[in-house]
Amino acid sequence: MKATGDSVLLAATDLANHLACEHLTQLERSAAAGVLSRPTWTDPAAEVLQQKGFEHERSYLEFLSSTGLEIANAAESGGNASGRVLELMRAGVDGIAQAVLEDGRWSGRADLLLKVGRASDLGGWSYEVVDTKLARETRAGTILQLCLYTDLVSRLQGCCPELMHVVAPGGDYQPQSFRTAHYLAYYRQVRRKLAEAVDGQRVTTYPE
């Protein structure tokens, strides 16, 4: 969550945080406005998990490259990261890692956009979102993040991805796939409630 001018920019983590605790949303809103300061502390366990997450993602991308797919890392280009993602999508590369996605107040960074053979405004192909996670079971917060990324991809390519995917650790890297249409209504409801909370329409909260 980040305040800019008269608006508050929102990311995928804000959706998951709001689902976990509405009071956390209000604390984040106050911190973004400069009313509160976020606590600073170091959790060694969290740092280890983060590093393992990076390693898992890197290993999966290396696996895809070994199968002959062309994987481009959008974060390496510098400059307008979201604009670079759209350029790579139009070029039709097989996969786009670290894809920065933006539309209005909403933004996110997908681990990977993977090309599929479904026509879109881009041409005879389109992209679906893949996220690498350490957890063996996919949680509701992860589904919400995938939905936001998928929604943002839809606006870029002119069609909604049919599936979204999670890749957990394992030797075969087989993704767990979720049909987008099954979750969009739930995602839109949580997104609407988050926007209302941030815009001051839902301000009475208590820590859960």
Side-chain angles (χ1 to χ4, degrees):
M1 193 178 300
K2 180 179 179 182
T4 172
D6 296 330
S7 63
V8 177
L9 304 182
L10 300 170
T13 51
D14 296 314
L15 280 172
N17 287 344
H18 187 67
L19 184 67
C21 180
E22 293 186 16
H23 187 65
L24 177 57
T25 296
Q26 295 304 324
L27 293 176
E28 289 286 348
R29 181 173 179 266
S30 297
V35 177
L36 295 177
S37 297
R38 292 184 176 89
T40 57
W41 60 287
T42 301
D43 183 353
E47 292 182 357
V48 171
L49 285 175
Q50 184 182 49
Q51 184 59 38
K52 287 187 175 295
F54 291 150
E55 293 172 359
H56 172 44
E57 179 183 345
R58 182 170 60 252
S59 177
Y60 176 59
L61 295 178
E62 290 173 354
F63 164 75
L64 293 178
S65 296
S66 72
T67 65
L69 296 182
E70 177 192 3
I71 307 297
N73 191 326
E76 295 176 350
S77 60
N80 185 349
S82 59
R84 177 58 178 160
V85 169
L86 183 56
E87 289 177 5
L88 292 170
M89 292 175 71
R90 287 172 173 166
V93 298
D94 296 321
I96 305 169
Q98 293 299 300
V100 174
L101 306 166
E102 296 177 336
D103 185 76
R105 75 188 303 182
W106 299 95
S107 66
R109 183 190 291 264
D111 289 344
L112 179 69
L113 304 183
L114 198 59
K115 186 170 74 170
V116 296
R118 185 185 181 201
S120 68
D121 291 350
L122 302 170
W125 66 90
S126 58
Y127 288 87
E128 293 179 348
V129 176
V130 182
D131 234 27
T132 55
K133 297 293 185 185
L134 293 177
R136 294 292 182 177
E137 295 183 358
T138 300
R139 301 170 183 173
T142 297
I143 293 294
L144 284 174
Q145 292 181 354
L146 287 170
C147 284
L148 176 58
Y149 300 154
T150 296
D151 190 15
L152 295 174
V153 168
S154 301
R155 300 171 192 232
L156 292 177
Q157 64 186 18
C159 74
C160 185
E162 183 178 3
L163 300 171
M164 45 194 186
H165 315 272
V166 174
V167 176
D172 56 2
Y173 296 107
Q174 289 300 308
Q176 183 181 8
S177 300
F178 301 88
R179 193 164 297 278
T180 305
H182 291 175
Y183 302 94
L184 282 182
Y186 173 64
Y187 152 73
R188 290 178 181 132
Q189 181 187 44
V190 177
R191 187 182 68 171
R192 174 179 55 80
K193 289 183 177 180
L194 171 60
E196 289 174 355
V198 170
D199 294 337
Q201 300 178 44
R202 295 164 58 89
V203 295
T204 303
T205 59
Y206 188 82
E208 298 177 12

